Amino acid sequence: MLTRRQVLRLGRGFLAGLGAIAPACAFRQQHKLAAFESLYHAPLASNLQAFGMDRPDALKDYAAARNLLYGAAANPHGLSDPVFTAAFLRECAILVPENELKWQSIRPSPTQFDFSQADRLLEVAQRHHLLMRGHTLVWDQALPDWFDEAVDRQNAEQVMTAHIAAVASHFAGQLHSWDVVNEAIAVPYSQRSDGLHPSPWLELLGESYIETAFYAAAEADPQAMLVYNDRWLDYDTPRDNAQREAVLNLLEKLISKGVPVHALGIQAHLMGHETRFNADRLRTFLRDVASLGLKILITELDVTDRDLPADVAIRDSIVATAYETYLNVVLEEPAVVAVLTWGLSDRYTWLSSYEPRPDGLSVRPLPLDEAMNRKLVWTAIARAFEQANR
Ligand code: XIL
Protein backbone atom coordinates (compact mmCIF):
# COMPACT_ATOMS: atom_id res chain seq x y z
CA MET A 1 0.00 0.00 0.00
CA LEU A 2 1.23 3.49 -0.80
CA THR A 3 2.07 5.92 1.94
CA ARG A 4 0.34 9.26 1.84
CA ARG A 5 3.66 10.86 0.86
CA GLN A 6 4.08 8.45 -2.07
CA VAL A 7 0.52 9.03 -3.13
CA LEU A 8 1.01 12.74 -3.13
CA ARG A 9 4.22 12.45 -5.11
CA LEU A 10 2.36 10.38 -7.67
CA GLY A 11 -0.39 12.94 -7.71
CA ARG A 12 2.17 15.66 -8.17
CA GLY A 13 3.72 13.84 -11.11
CA PHE A 14 0.30 13.62 -12.70
CA LEU A 15 -0.34 17.25 -12.05
CA ALA A 16 3.07 18.30 -13.31
CA GLY A 17 2.07 16.63 -16.58
CA LEU A 18 -1.09 18.62 -16.58
CA GLY A 19 0.94 21.72 -15.85
CA ALA A 20 2.40 21.67 -19.33
CA ILE A 21 -1.10 22.35 -20.61
CA ALA A 22 -2.44 24.55 -17.84
CA PRO A 23 0.38 26.06 -15.80
CA ALA A 24 -1.76 28.25 -13.55
CA CYS A 25 -4.02 25.41 -12.62
CA ALA A 26 -1.08 23.08 -12.01
CA PHE A 27 0.56 25.69 -9.83
CA ARG A 28 -2.54 25.90 -7.69
CA GLN A 29 -2.79 22.14 -7.49
CA GLN A 30 0.87 21.71 -6.59
CA HIS A 31 0.42 24.22 -3.88
CA LYS A 32 -2.39 22.17 -2.44
CA LEU A 33 -0.41 18.97 -2.71
CA ALA A 34 2.55 20.55 -0.94
CA ALA A 35 0.15 21.46 1.82
CA PHE A 36 -1.03 17.82 2.02
CA GLU A 37 2.53 16.69 2.45
CA SER A 38 3.35 19.01 5.28
CA LEU A 39 0.15 18.19 7.10
CA TYR A 40 -0.25 14.45 6.77
CA HIS A 41 2.85 12.86 8.16
CA ALA A 42 0.91 9.69 8.86
CA PRO A 43 1.04 7.07 6.13
CA LEU A 44 -1.90 7.48 3.84
CA ALA A 45 -4.43 4.67 3.96
CA SER A 46 -1.39 2.60 4.89
CA ASN A 47 -2.96 -0.64 6.01
CA LEU A 48 -6.57 0.02 5.13
CA GLN A 49 -6.44 -2.61 2.38
CA ALA A 50 -5.37 -5.19 4.92
CA PHE A 51 -8.59 -4.69 6.86
CA GLY A 52 -10.42 -6.20 3.90
CA MET A 53 -13.77 -5.38 2.33
CA ASP A 54 -15.03 -8.88 2.03
CA ARG A 55 -16.30 -9.14 5.56
CA PRO A 56 -19.64 -10.56 6.62
CA ASP A 57 -20.44 -7.61 8.85
CA ALA A 58 -21.88 -4.41 7.45
CA LEU A 59 -21.31 -0.81 8.55
CA LYS A 60 -24.42 -0.91 10.73
CA ASP A 61 -22.97 -3.92 12.58
CA TYR A 62 -19.61 -2.28 13.24
CA ALA A 63 -21.50 0.79 14.46
CA ALA A 64 -23.91 -1.17 16.66
CA ALA A 65 -21.01 -2.92 18.38
CA ARG A 66 -19.96 0.54 19.62
CA ASN A 67 -23.46 1.67 20.50
CA LEU A 68 -23.70 3.81 17.37
CA LEU A 69 -26.18 4.08 14.55
CA TYR A 70 -24.92 4.05 10.99
CA GLY A 71 -27.15 5.04 8.11
CA ALA A 72 -27.37 7.23 5.03
CA ALA A 73 -29.51 9.62 3.04
CA ALA A 74 -31.46 8.16 0.14
CA ASN A 75 -34.16 9.28 -2.26
CA PRO A 76 -36.89 7.54 -4.27
CA HIS A 77 -34.70 7.52 -7.37
CA GLY A 78 -31.97 5.50 -5.63
CA LEU A 79 -34.50 3.29 -3.88
CA SER A 80 -36.12 2.38 -7.21
CA ASP A 81 -32.83 0.63 -8.04
CA PRO A 82 -32.99 -2.87 -6.51
CA VAL A 83 -29.20 -3.25 -6.38
CA PHE A 84 -28.85 0.01 -4.47
CA THR A 85 -31.73 -0.91 -2.19
CA ALA A 86 -30.18 -4.27 -1.36
CA ALA A 87 -26.88 -2.57 -0.53
CA PHE A 88 -28.69 0.06 1.53
CA LEU A 89 -30.56 -2.54 3.56
CA ARG A 90 -27.35 -4.47 4.11
CA GLU A 91 -25.27 -1.54 5.35
CA CYS A 92 -27.71 0.87 7.02
CA ALA A 93 -29.76 0.93 10.21
CA ILE A 94 -31.28 4.37 9.60
CA LEU A 95 -32.57 6.21 6.54
CA VAL A 96 -32.86 9.93 5.99
CA PRO A 97 -35.00 11.17 3.12
CA GLU A 98 -32.61 13.34 1.10
CA ASN A 99 -35.23 15.86 -0.07
CA GLU A 100 -38.68 14.38 0.50
CA LEU A 101 -39.43 16.15 3.78
CA LYS A 102 -38.28 19.59 2.68
CA TRP A 103 -40.88 22.32 2.09
CA GLN A 104 -40.27 22.19 -1.65
CA SER A 105 -41.33 18.54 -1.65
CA ILE A 106 -44.31 18.61 0.68
CA ARG A 107 -45.79 22.09 0.19
CA PRO A 108 -47.14 22.39 -3.35
CA SER A 109 -49.16 25.45 -2.24
CA PRO A 110 -49.74 27.52 0.92
CA THR A 111 -52.73 25.38 1.82
CA GLN A 112 -51.56 21.91 0.74
CA PHE A 113 -49.38 19.15 2.17
CA ASP A 114 -48.21 16.24 0.06
CA PHE A 115 -46.68 13.50 2.17
CA SER A 116 -46.83 10.82 -0.52
CA GLN A 117 -43.09 10.50 -1.23
CA ALA A 118 -42.07 10.71 2.41
CA ASP A 119 -44.75 8.21 3.39
CA ARG A 120 -43.39 5.75 0.85
CA LEU A 121 -39.89 6.09 2.29
CA LEU A 122 -41.25 5.57 5.80
CA GLU A 123 -43.05 2.48 4.58
CA VAL A 124 -39.80 1.09 3.12
CA ALA A 125 -37.96 1.88 6.36
CA GLN A 126 -40.57 0.26 8.57
CA ARG A 127 -40.95 -2.82 6.36
CA HIS A 128 -37.21 -3.43 6.71
CA HIS A 129 -36.90 -2.42 10.37
CA LEU A 130 -34.85 0.66 9.65
CA LEU A 131 -35.15 3.85 11.67
CA MET A 132 -35.92 7.07 9.81
CA ARG A 133 -34.84 10.66 10.51
CA GLY A 134 -36.69 13.80 9.56
CA HIS A 135 -34.83 16.40 7.52
CA THR A 136 -35.76 19.24 7.84
CA LEU A 137 -38.53 21.45 9.28
CA VAL A 138 -36.98 24.91 8.90
CA TRP A 139 -34.39 25.64 6.22
CA ASP A 140 -34.37 28.75 4.07
CA GLN A 141 -32.71 26.93 1.15
CA ALA A 142 -35.64 24.65 0.41
CA LEU A 143 -38.55 27.05 0.46
CA PRO A 144 -41.15 26.70 -2.29
CA ASP A 145 -41.67 29.29 -5.02
CA TRP A 146 -44.90 30.56 -3.48
CA PHE A 147 -43.19 31.46 -0.20
CA ASP A 148 -42.15 35.06 -0.86
CA GLU A 149 -45.54 36.10 -2.09
CA ALA A 150 -47.56 34.29 0.54
CA VAL A 151 -45.56 34.95 3.69
CA ASP A 152 -45.10 38.28 5.42
CA ARG A 153 -44.37 39.64 8.88
CA GLN A 154 -48.01 39.26 9.91
CA ASN A 155 -48.44 35.59 9.12
CA ALA A 156 -44.86 34.22 9.21
CA GLU A 157 -45.01 32.75 12.69
CA GLN A 158 -48.35 31.12 12.03
CA VAL A 159 -47.14 29.70 8.69
CA MET A 160 -44.03 28.24 10.29
CA THR A 161 -45.69 26.76 13.37
CA ALA A 162 -48.62 25.40 11.35
CA HIS A 163 -46.14 23.71 9.01
CA ILE A 164 -44.22 22.15 11.88
CA ALA A 165 -47.41 21.09 13.65
CA ALA A 166 -48.79 19.40 10.53
CA VAL A 167 -45.58 17.72 9.39
CA ALA A 168 -44.19 16.63 12.74
CA SER A 169 -47.56 15.31 13.92
CA HIS A 170 -48.08 13.41 10.65
CA PHE A 171 -44.96 11.38 11.51
CA ALA A 172 -45.23 11.62 15.31
CA GLY A 173 -43.76 8.67 17.17
CA GLN A 174 -42.31 7.19 13.99
CA LEU A 175 -39.09 9.14 13.50
CA HIS A 176 -35.82 8.73 15.35
CA SER A 177 -35.07 12.46 15.20
CA TRP A 178 -35.88 15.70 13.42
CA ASP A 179 -33.49 18.31 12.07
CA VAL A 180 -35.77 21.05 13.36
CA VAL A 181 -33.65 23.95 12.15
CA ASN A 182 -30.99 23.58 9.46
CA GLU A 183 -28.16 26.00 8.72
CA ALA A 184 -29.35 28.97 10.78
CA ILE A 185 -25.78 30.19 11.14
CA ALA A 186 -23.51 31.27 8.31
CA VAL A 187 -20.86 33.54 9.73
CA PRO A 188 -19.37 34.47 6.33
CA TYR A 189 -22.74 35.76 5.10
CA SER A 190 -23.87 37.39 8.32
CA GLN A 191 -23.60 41.03 9.34
CA ARG A 192 -24.54 40.11 12.90
CA SER A 193 -22.31 39.30 15.86
CA ASP A 194 -24.27 36.08 16.46
CA GLY A 195 -23.52 34.89 12.90
CA LEU A 196 -27.19 34.20 12.06
CA HIS A 197 -27.74 33.64 8.37
CA PRO A 198 -29.89 36.33 6.72
CA SER A 199 -32.80 34.04 5.91
CA PRO A 200 -36.43 35.01 5.31
CA TRP A 201 -37.27 33.52 8.72
CA LEU A 202 -34.76 35.78 10.43
CA GLU A 203 -35.99 38.81 8.53
CA LEU A 204 -39.64 38.11 9.23
CA LEU A 205 -39.48 36.82 12.79
CA GLY A 206 -36.14 37.79 14.26
CA GLU A 207 -33.85 35.35 16.02
CA SER A 208 -36.68 33.88 18.12
CA TYR A 209 -37.77 31.84 15.07
CA ILE A 210 -35.27 29.19 16.15
CA GLU A 211 -36.74 28.58 19.58
CA THR A 212 -40.28 28.90 18.22
CA ALA A 213 -39.51 26.08 15.81
CA PHE A 214 -38.16 23.81 18.56
CA TYR A 215 -41.18 24.41 20.82
CA ALA A 216 -43.54 23.64 17.96
CA ALA A 217 -41.66 20.44 17.09
CA ALA A 218 -41.62 19.27 20.71
CA GLU A 219 -45.34 19.76 20.95
CA ALA A 220 -46.10 17.93 17.71
CA ASP A 221 -43.75 14.98 18.26
CA PRO A 222 -42.72 14.65 21.90
CA GLN A 223 -40.81 11.43 21.17
CA ALA A 224 -38.40 12.53 18.45
CA MET A 225 -34.89 13.69 19.28
CA LEU A 226 -34.84 17.36 18.26
CA VAL A 227 -31.68 18.38 16.44
CA TYR A 228 -30.08 21.67 15.47
CA ASN A 229 -28.17 20.84 12.25
CA ASP A 230 -25.39 22.93 10.71
CA ARG A 231 -22.39 22.96 8.39
CA TRP A 232 -18.78 24.21 8.32
CA LEU A 233 -17.87 22.89 11.77
CA ASP A 234 -14.99 20.64 10.80
CA TYR A 235 -11.77 22.44 9.93
CA ASP A 236 -9.23 24.76 11.47
CA THR A 237 -10.04 27.61 9.11
CA PRO A 238 -11.25 31.13 9.92
CA ARG A 239 -14.69 30.22 8.53
CA ASP A 240 -15.11 26.99 10.49
CA ASN A 241 -13.57 28.34 13.71
CA ALA A 242 -16.01 31.25 13.67
CA GLN A 243 -18.88 28.94 12.76
CA ARG A 244 -18.11 26.60 15.69
CA GLU A 245 -18.06 29.51 18.09
CA ALA A 246 -21.35 30.89 16.80
CA VAL A 247 -23.06 27.48 16.91
CA LEU A 248 -21.85 26.89 20.44
CA ASN A 249 -23.13 30.31 21.52
CA LEU A 250 -26.50 29.61 19.96
CA LEU A 251 -26.79 26.22 21.65
CA GLU A 252 -25.77 27.68 25.01
CA LYS A 253 -28.43 30.35 24.66
CA LEU A 254 -31.14 27.84 23.73
CA ILE A 255 -30.24 25.46 26.54
CA SER A 256 -30.07 28.23 29.14
CA LYS A 257 -33.61 29.25 28.17
CA GLY A 258 -34.85 25.68 28.46
CA VAL A 259 -35.63 25.33 24.74
CA PRO A 260 -36.22 21.64 23.88
CA VAL A 261 -33.15 21.01 21.74
CA HIS A 262 -31.62 17.59 22.30
CA ALA A 263 -28.72 17.26 19.90
CA LEU A 264 -26.38 18.96 17.49
CA GLY A 265 -26.22 17.60 13.95
CA ILE A 266 -22.84 18.16 12.33
CA GLN A 267 -23.23 17.92 8.57
CA ALA A 268 -19.55 17.13 7.91
CA HIS A 269 -19.40 17.71 4.18
CA LEU A 270 -15.62 17.27 4.11
CA MET A 271 -13.16 18.17 1.37
CA GLY A 272 -10.49 15.73 0.26
CA HIS A 273 -8.12 18.56 -0.63
CA GLU A 274 -8.52 20.40 2.70
CA THR A 275 -5.51 19.98 4.95
CA ARG A 276 -6.37 22.31 7.81
CA PHE A 277 -7.76 19.70 10.16
CA ASN A 278 -7.07 20.19 13.86
CA ALA A 279 -8.07 17.24 16.03
CA ASP A 280 -7.75 19.17 19.28
CA ARG A 281 -10.01 21.97 18.16
CA LEU A 282 -12.67 19.57 16.96
CA ARG A 283 -12.40 17.52 20.15
CA THR A 284 -12.80 20.61 22.31
CA PHE A 285 -15.86 21.69 20.35
CA LEU A 286 -17.49 18.27 20.72
CA ARG A 287 -16.72 18.30 24.47
CA ASP A 288 -18.22 21.78 24.82
CA VAL A 289 -21.39 20.71 23.01
CA ALA A 290 -21.63 17.53 25.10
CA SER A 291 -21.17 19.50 28.31
CA LEU A 292 -24.44 21.30 27.53
CA GLY A 293 -26.13 17.92 27.88
CA LEU A 294 -26.57 17.52 24.12
CA LYS A 295 -26.07 14.44 21.99
CA ILE A 296 -24.18 14.76 18.71
CA LEU A 297 -25.00 13.23 15.34
CA ILE A 298 -22.81 13.32 12.26
CA THR A 299 -25.63 13.85 9.81
CA GLU A 300 -24.37 14.33 6.25
CA LEU A 301 -20.84 12.96 6.02
CA ASP A 302 -19.20 12.83 2.60
CA VAL A 303 -15.84 13.87 1.16
CA THR A 304 -15.66 15.73 -2.12
CA ASP A 305 -12.86 14.57 -4.43
CA ARG A 306 -13.36 17.42 -6.87
CA ASP A 307 -9.87 18.84 -6.44
CA LEU A 308 -7.98 15.56 -6.07
CA PRO A 309 -5.82 13.85 -8.72
CA ALA A 310 -7.69 11.77 -11.29
CA ASP A 311 -6.06 8.43 -10.46
CA VAL A 312 -8.70 6.35 -8.72
CA ALA A 313 -6.36 4.58 -6.29
CA ILE A 314 -4.87 7.88 -5.18
CA ARG A 315 -8.23 9.56 -4.93
CA ASP A 316 -9.78 6.74 -2.97
CA SER A 317 -6.83 6.69 -0.57
CA ILE A 318 -7.05 10.39 0.16
CA VAL A 319 -10.83 10.32 0.54
CA ALA A 320 -10.71 7.25 2.80
CA THR A 321 -8.00 8.82 4.93
CA ALA A 322 -10.09 11.97 5.33
CA TYR A 323 -13.00 9.82 6.58
CA GLU A 324 -10.88 7.84 9.00
CA THR A 325 -8.96 10.82 10.35
CA TYR A 326 -12.22 12.64 11.00
CA LEU A 327 -14.10 9.70 12.49
CA ASN A 328 -11.22 8.71 14.76
CA VAL A 329 -11.58 12.06 16.51
CA VAL A 330 -15.36 12.25 16.46
CA LEU A 331 -15.92 8.73 17.77
CA GLU A 332 -13.82 9.39 20.88
CA GLU A 333 -16.63 11.63 22.10
CA PRO A 334 -19.20 9.58 24.02
CA ALA A 335 -21.99 12.08 23.18
CA VAL A 336 -21.78 11.05 19.51
CA VAL A 337 -24.64 8.63 18.88
CA ALA A 338 -24.92 8.33 15.10
CA VAL A 339 -22.96 8.63 11.88
CA LEU A 340 -24.88 9.15 8.64
CA THR A 341 -23.34 9.56 5.22
CA TRP A 342 -25.07 11.77 2.67
CA GLY A 343 -25.73 8.91 0.31
CA LEU A 344 -24.22 5.44 0.25
CA SER A 345 -23.10 4.83 -3.32
CA ASP A 346 -21.22 7.06 -5.76
CA ARG A 347 -24.02 6.28 -8.19
CA TYR A 348 -26.42 8.50 -6.28
CA THR A 349 -24.68 11.49 -4.77
CA TRP A 350 -25.58 15.16 -4.80
CA LEU A 351 -21.87 15.89 -5.36
CA SER A 352 -22.15 14.73 -9.00
CA SER A 353 -23.98 17.97 -9.66
CA TYR A 354 -22.87 20.19 -6.76
CA GLU A 355 -19.13 19.45 -6.86
CA PRO A 356 -18.45 17.90 -10.28
CA ARG A 357 -14.82 17.29 -11.20
CA PRO A 358 -13.39 19.76 -13.71
CA ASP A 359 -11.98 16.79 -15.68
CA GLY A 360 -15.45 15.28 -16.07
CA LEU A 361 -14.60 12.01 -14.28
CA SER A 362 -17.30 10.70 -12.00
CA VAL A 363 -16.96 11.63 -8.35
CA ARG A 364 -16.13 9.03 -5.66
CA PRO A 365 -17.16 10.51 -2.30
CA LEU A 366 -19.05 7.62 -0.65
CA PRO A 367 -18.52 4.11 0.83
CA LEU A 368 -19.73 2.13 -2.23
CA ASP A 369 -18.79 2.62 -5.86
CA GLU A 370 -21.30 3.02 -8.69
CA ALA A 371 -21.68 -0.76 -8.97
CA MET A 372 -22.32 -1.04 -5.20
CA ASN A 373 -18.92 -2.55 -4.47
CA ARG A 374 -17.31 -1.56 -1.21
CA LYS A 375 -14.47 0.94 -1.57
CA LEU A 376 -11.62 2.00 0.67
CA VAL A 377 -14.03 4.52 2.21
CA TRP A 378 -16.14 1.58 3.43
CA THR A 379 -13.03 0.11 5.03
CA ALA A 380 -12.12 3.43 6.61
CA ILE A 381 -15.55 3.77 8.24
CA ALA A 382 -15.71 0.13 9.33
CA ARG A 383 -12.25 0.33 10.86
CA ALA A 384 -12.96 3.65 12.58
CA PHE A 385 -16.04 2.04 14.17
CA GLU A 386 -14.16 -1.10 15.10
CA GLN A 387 -11.28 0.76 16.66
CA ALA A 388 -13.42 3.33 18.47
CA ASN A 389 -12.62 3.17 22.14
CA ARG A 390 -16.08 3.70 23.62
C1 XIL B 1 -29.11 18.54 -0.87
C2 XIL B 1 -29.59 17.32 -1.65
O1 XIL B 1 -28.64 16.29 -1.52
C3 XIL B 1 -29.77 17.69 -3.10
O2 XIL B 1 -30.35 16.60 -3.81
C4 XIL B 1 -30.67 18.91 -3.23
O3 XIL B 1 -30.74 19.31 -4.57
C5 XIL B 1 -30.15 20.07 -2.39
O4 XIL B 1 -29.99 19.62 -1.05
N1 XIL B 1 -27.02 20.35 3.39
C6 XIL B 1 -28.27 19.85 3.69
C7 XIL B 1 -28.95 18.96 2.74
O5 XIL B 1 -28.75 20.05 4.82
O6 XIL B 1 -30.35 19.09 2.79
C8 XIL B 1 -28.48 19.20 1.33
O7 XIL B 1 -29.07 18.21 0.48
C9 XIL B 1 -26.98 19.14 1.26
C10 XIL B 1 -26.36 20.22 2.12
Side-chain angles (χ1 to χ4, degrees), residues 117-133:
Q117 285 191 315
D119 282 346
R120 273 198 290 279
L121 293 182
L122 183 63
E123 194 274 317
V124 171
Q126 291 182 338
R127 184 153 32 100
H128 297 284
H129 310 290
L130 295 172
L131 298 172
M132 187 161 112
R133 304 196 65 228

Side-chain angles (χ1 to χ4, degrees), residues 318-334:
I318 295 175
V319 170
T321 302
Y323 269 92
E324 198 176 25
T325 307
Y326 188 79
L327 286 177
N328 284 346
V329 175
V330 160
L331 297 179
E332 286 170 8
E333 172 51 60

Side-chain angles (χ1 to χ4, degrees), residues 18-284:
L18 239 190
I21 317 166
C25 165
F27 175 78
R28 269 202 312 277
Q29 290 288 9
Q30 283 189 10
H31 227 66
K32 283 181 191 157
L33 289 171
F36 282 140
E37 281 190 320
S38 59
L39 189 83
Y40 290 102
H41 298 297
L44 177 73
S46 55
N47 45 9
L48 263 178
Q49 293 283 11
F51 185 88
M53 297 175 198
D54 198 16
R55 293 175 163 233
D57 283 347
L59 292 178
K60 65 179 177 194
D61 306 314
Y62 288 101
R66 296 289 176 270
N67 234 337
L68 289 159
L69 272 173
Y70 171 75
N75 59 42
H77 178 54
L79 291 169
S80 67
D81 169 350
V83 188
F84 173 79
T85 303
F88 195 95
L89 298 177
R90 186 177 70 228
E91 302 287 353
C92 296
I94 179 164
L95 161 76
V96 52
E98 185 174 355
N99 293 306
E100 293 64 33
L101 285 166
K102 294 174 183 171
W103 284 59
Q104 275 165 350
S105 304
I106 52 179
R107 299 302 303 276
S109 79
T111 53
Q112 285 175 299
F113 291 83
D114 176 2
F115 295 117
S116 54
Q117 285 191 315
D119 282 346
R120 273 198 290 279
L121 293 182
L122 183 63
E123 194 274 317
V124 171
Q126 291 182 338
R127 184 153 32 100
H128 297 284
H129 310 290
L130 295 172
L131 298 172
M132 187 161 112
R133 304 196 65 228
H135 174 80
T136 170
L137 291 168
V138 177
W139 185 34
D140 63 294
Q141 297 291 307
L143 293 174
D145 291 339
W146 52 260
F147 187 87
D148 284 345
E149 224 164 275
V151 185
D152 56 27
R153 247 176 248 283
Q154 271 64 53
N155 67 4
E157 182 163 335
Q158 196 274 332
V159 171
M160 187 181 82
T161 53
H163 175 88
I164 295 174
V167 178
S169 50
H170 180 85
F171 296 100
Q174 307 190 77
L175 299 184
H176 166 269
S177 48
W178 261 114
D179 289 335
V180 178
V181 177
N182 193 33
E183 299 183 356
I185 290 176
V187 173
Y189 304 138
S190 178
Q191 310 287 347
R192 304 165 48 112
S193 59
D194 58 14
L196 286 183
H197 176 59
S199 77
W201 294 121
L202 183 64
E203 277 161 35
L204 297 169
L205 294 174
E207 63 188 75
S208 66
Y209 85 88
I210 298 173
E211 57 196 72
T212 305
F214 276 95
Y215 283 117
E219 199 180 326
D221 186 352
Q223 287 177 55
M225 180 191 285
L226 303 183
V227 181
Y228 174 73
N229 197 47
D230 217 329
R231 59 188 160 162
W232 301 339
L233 300 169
D234 317 295
Y235 291 111
D236 188 6
T237 57
R239 183 193 72 182
D240 288 19
N241 293 340
Q243 188 82 354
R244 278 197 297 277
E245 195 184 327
V247 166
L248 192 59
N249 287 339
L250 170 67
L251 293 173
E252 273 168 5
K253 213 188 284 173
L254 295 175
I255 294 294
S256 72
K257 287 180 167 177
V259 177
V261 46
H262 307 136
L264 171 66
I266 297 181
Q267 292 186 2
H269 292 293
L270 305 182
M271 297 173 285
H273 61 275
E274 180 55 81
T275 54
R276 291 166 289 175
F277 179 68
N278 182 324
D280 282 339
R281 288 209 157 173
L282 183 58
R283 228 176 252 131
T284 303

Side-chain angles (χ1 to χ4, degrees), residues 371-385:
M372 309 305 150
N373 299 308
R374 290 170 172 174
K375 293 161 50 197
L376 221 47
V377 169
W378 182 93
T379 312
I381 300 175
R383 190 167 76 172
F385 286 149

